[in-house]
Amino acid sequence: MTESGILIFLVLVQVKHYFADFRWQTGEMLAHKGKFMHPAGLAHAGLHGLLSLPAMALAGLGGPGLIVALGLAEVFVHHVIDWQKANLQTEKADLGEAGFWRLVGLDQAAHQLTYVAILAVGLL
């Protein structure tokens, strides 16, 4: 994987993360992320994994087998991160509470570290 491939991957996963988490996530997906293995939560995580496939391919991250395996791993990890966040957030979201924003930040940092892990595996 080249240096430009690394940059391509990082840019593409940032763009896809914005769309999958903030533009294309449905109310149904959002409502059920706290239920482990719920089809709506899995659909949200699946969208992330699916959209990462072309990012990995365009970046030259590896062969088709590795890319699919990493995409499936991302689906699982993304689902677990979202499920955990939903279960840590025990009350209705209060946008004025610092705890809410800390949890949002932790959630987003965990997702970003997933991309770093994907990249690390691709560089091996």
Side-chain angles (χ1 to χ4, degrees):
M1 183 174 210
T2 65
E3 289 176 357
S4 60
I6 293 168
L7 291 174
I8 288 167
F9 174 75
L10 291 174
V11 168
L12 291 177
V13 293
Q14 296 308 306
V15 172
K16 81 89 186 174
H17 191 89
Y18 166 74
F19 279 97
D21 249 18
F22 298 101
R23 300 292 294 184
W24 297 335
Q25 182 171 201
T26 67
E28 181 78 5
M29 290 172 175
L30 191 58
H32 297 289
K33 290 197 297 189
K35 298 173 190 148
F36 192 68
M37 301 299 283
H38 189 282
L42 287 172
H44 170 70
L47 179 62
H48 274 277
L50 182 66
L51 293 174
S52 287
L53 298 177
M56 290 186 266
L58 288 169
L61 195 124
L66 178 61
I67 288 172
V68 170
L70 288 171
L72 290 172
E74 182 185 357
V75 171
F76 180 74
V77 171
H78 194 100
H79 181 64
V80 170
I81 291 168
D82 284 354
W83 169 75
Q84 187 64 43
K85 177 189 169 224
N87 285 287
L88 287 172
Q89 186 177 325
T90 55
E91 298 177 17
K92 189 174 182 324
D94 182 352
L95 301 182
E97 290 292 321
F100 169 78
W101 291 107
R102 287 185 189 110
L103 197 52
V104 168
L106 181 60
D107 169 74
Q108 292 301 303
H111 292 310
Q112 296 306 312
L113 290 172
T114 301
Y115 303 135
V116 172
I118 289 169
L119 188 57
V121 170
L123 291 172
L124 292 178

